[in-house]
Amino acid sequence: MSVRPHDTVDPPFLVALNLTQRCNLQCAHCYLDAGTRSDGAADELTTDEVKGVLDEIAALSDETMVVFTGGEPMMRPDLEQLTRHATDLGLMAVVGSNATLLNDDRVARLLAAGVRGVGISLDSLDPAYHDDFRGLPGAWERTMRSIDACRRGGLSFQIHFSVTDDNADELDEMIAFAESSGALVLNVFFLVCTGRGEKVTNISAETYDRVLRQLTEAAHREKDLLIRAKCAPHFKRMAMELDPDWPITLAHGYEAGGCLAGTRYCRVTPDGEITPCPYMEVSAGSVRRQGFTATWQRGSVFQELRAPKLQGRCGDCEYAKLCGGCRARPMARDGDLMGEDFLCGYQPQGGAVIEPGLQAGTKVSWSAEAELRLKRVPSFVRRFVRQRVEAYVHEQGEQQVRPEHLQILARRRFGEAGPPGGFEAGQTGDKAAE
């Protein structure tokens, strides 16, 4: 296995900080098996320790997005202190929450602490189903109130919809609700059976394929709502089958093919272990023992994921680089990180391996004026903007990015009124960053 030198390993695009196992709900699918605790576990990272992790992340790149999650992160009294520290370092701070504790006051406090957005879990438009899935009567109503509070307070939000066999038929309605509610993004999560989720019947292969195709078509069709599949890298294969010229099939970096785990993404557990993703419980190291930077650059499981030797159908597939399958599923079921993703029904056709991203020799250049405009974009979304614009220019058959390209994409994203909050025109990556 060839391994890149440590000093050439790209920094993560996205880091999830599981701040705590404390939670006010008992969700059936929780990968942490979080409990209803009034106090965190004795070994949870302290405020200073989390700040140290953030310092290390920012030293690698100030273009990284950090998701503060849990358990329920709003049960940590230092949440705003931590998000402010991240923001002051130039990082993009977002919060992943069940949103039952959000109100007008908390929205204002999060905004004042630099939080750029919140991910709100909503598993059904049927209150009874959502409450049962989340383990608390009235949870659905609280979530609806939190969405209203975000709208009133001007805090951007996205909807997180965990799809199962029981609620898969709600996808169209959930898309319509996310759009009408003002959400920027709808993330559809396909469960991996870990944690308390081991007790939940996972989505069937038939439903998985049907829903993912439905989601792909909706993502291609929708203009005002960003729709993405999570823990379902086959989305990229289906996107290419639907429209080979769709920019998402051409983009590189964050939007490139395959699972992000260990290559552009990792998570830190409440006690400081670093894993490739929340559904992979194998630790690459510890922020307390090795530190974040050393673990990200040298952790053996990360190196294995960066030079994968896929087995079974995944190893034979022409979409091995564009998709590569979910690595957490075979790991969770069989203990085999490189095993084939058994939920994928695709049979390899024996063609050449498809390379994600812009092909060699087609990379576009930037005019001096466009580069100057790009430098005005906040650092934490700059690389997403660069990638989206380059993909667009390549799609147009051109070789150089000019200011008008950024203006066109800015109008597509924000309308004629332009970017909010003083953002420079051309900040088209805000949705992609989230």
Side-chain angles (χ1 to χ4, degrees):
M1 179 178 68
S2 62
V3 178
R4 295 169 63 187
H6 302 144
D7 59 358
T8 67
V9 174
D10 292 333
F13 281 22
L14 182 66
V15 177
L17 294 183
N18 287 139
L19 293 177
T20 183
Q21 283 189 302
R22 282 173 280 185
C23 190
N24 60 327
L25 301 184
Q26 285 280 354
C27 302
H29 64 296
C30 181
Y31 59 77
L32 265 187
D33 198 12
T36 53
R37 304 176 183 179
S38 59
D39 299 306
D43 57 354
E44 282 186 2
L45 296 177
T46 66
T47 300
D48 286 342
E49 285 179 315
V50 176
K51 286 183 176 180
V53 174
L54 293 169
D55 290 342
E56 286 197 69
I57 294 170
L60 290 172
S61 172
D62 63 358
E63 297 182 350
T64 298
M65 182 170 68
V66 179
V67 182
F68 294 84
T69 185
E72 176 45 58
M74 294 190 192
M75 296 189 74
R76 268 197 68 141
D78 58 354
L79 175 62
E80 283 84 1
Q81 184 179 352
L82 296 174
T83 60
R84 170 48 59 192
H85 187 75
T87 301
D88 288 346
L89 291 169
L91 301 168
M92 182 178 187
V94 299
V95 173
S97 172
N98 62 46
T100 58
L101 303 177
L102 263 181
N103 53 32
D104 291 335
D105 175 67
R106 196 66 190 265
V107 165
R109 287 160 55 193
L110 290 173
L111 282 168
V115 173
R116 298 302 306 243
V118 59
I120 296 177
S121 298
L122 179 64
D123 302 304
S124 177
L125 297 178
D126 175 2
Y129 178 92
H130 178 86
D131 289 358
D132 182 66
F133 198 65
R134 293 283 160 180
L136 179 70
W140 187 90
E141 185 60 39
R142 292 188 190 185
T143 299
M144 292 298 109
R145 289 200 297 265
S146 74
I147 291 173
D148 291 339
C150 288
R151 280 202 303 260
R152 285 192 299 269
L155 178 60
S156 297
F157 67 94
Q158 55 185 276
I159 301 296
H160 293 173
F161 174 52
S162 295
V163 65
T164 69
D165 280 338
D166 296 325
N167 65 358
D169 290 338
E170 287 194 59
L171 180 59
D172 284 341
E173 289 78 8
M174 189 62 70
I175 291 171
F177 172 81
E179 188 166 13
S180 65
S181 69
L184 292 179
V185 184
L186 173 64
N187 285 323
V188 180
F189 286 82
F190 292 79
L191 297 177
V192 179
C193 291
T194 59
R196 194 153 56 234
E198 291 177 356
K199 304 178 181 68
V200 177
T201 301
N202 206 349
I203 191 169
S204 66
E206 294 76 18
T207 304
Y208 180 95
D209 185 84
R210 173 175 58 82
V211 172
L212 194 53
R213 289 190 182 280
Q214 184 182 354
L215 187 152
T216 304
E217 292 170 359
H220 188 263
R221 180 179 65 247
E222 291 291 331
K223 302 302 181 185
D224 298 323
L225 176 69
L226 186 75
I227 302 173
R228 289 292 180 266
K230 299 297 180 180
C231 304
H234 321 103
F235 173 81
K236 276 303 191 72
R237 169 177 59 81
M238 293 184 179
M240 179 163 278
E241 290 173 344
L242 178 65
D243 180 2
D245 295 324
W246 187 5
I248 194 173
T249 67
L250 302 174
H252 55 295
Y254 182 79
E255 288 277 21
C259 175
L260 302 176
T263 59
R264 288 152 285 167
Y265 170 57
C266 69
R267 70 100 177 230
V268 180
T269 68
D271 59 355
E273 298 299 313
I274 306 172
T275 75
C277 84
Y279 298 114
M280 292 187 197
E281 298 176 351
V282 56
S283 175
S286 167
V287 300
R288 286 172 167 155
R289 296 189 300 274
Q290 295 90 353
F292 182 87
T293 302
T295 303
W296 173 256
Q297 293 179 339
R298 301 177 178 86
S300 59
V301 66
F302 290 156
Q303 295 189 43
E304 190 174 359
L305 287 165
R306 291 165 191 162
K309 296 182 178 179
L310 303 177
Q311 305 299 314
R313 286 179 297 129
C314 288
D316 297 333
C317 187
E318 60 269 30
Y319 292 97
K321 291 185 178 180
L322 195 70
C323 168
C326 174
R327 298 295 94 222
R329 284 197 182 89
M331 184 71 180
R333 192 185 74 171
D334 306 319
D336 184 1
L337 185 65
M338 293 295 138
E340 71 175 44
D341 186 341
F342 50 85
L343 269 188
C344 176
Y346 181 75
Q347 294 298 325
Q349 303 298 303
V353 174
I354 300 168
E355 297 288 340
L358 302 179
Q359 298 301 313
T362 63
K363 187 170 179 61
V364 300
S365 63
W366 284 66
S367 71
E369 295 82 0
E371 283 281 10
L372 181 62
R373 182 165 298 215
L374 183 67
K375 289 179 180 178
R376 300 187 190 125
V377 173
S379 62
F380 50 74
V381 291
R382 191 175 298 143
R383 82 171 113 189
F384 303 114
V385 174
R386 178 182 290 277
Q387 291 154 10
R388 178 65 189 93
V389 173
E390 288 182 358
Y392 170 75
V393 171
H394 176 64
E395 179 188 7
Q396 302 305 306
E398 301 182 43
Q399 278 73 49
Q400 186 179 61
V401 178
R402 302 185 304 277
E404 52 264 37
H405 293 130
L406 283 84
Q407 292 169 350
I408 289 170
L409 292 177
R411 284 196 295 270
R412 286 187 183 179
R413 168 64 179 88
F414 299 109
E416 294 299 328
F423 279 19
E424 174 64 20
Q427 190 177 329
T428 58
D430 204 23
K431 278 187 177 183
E434 296 174 334

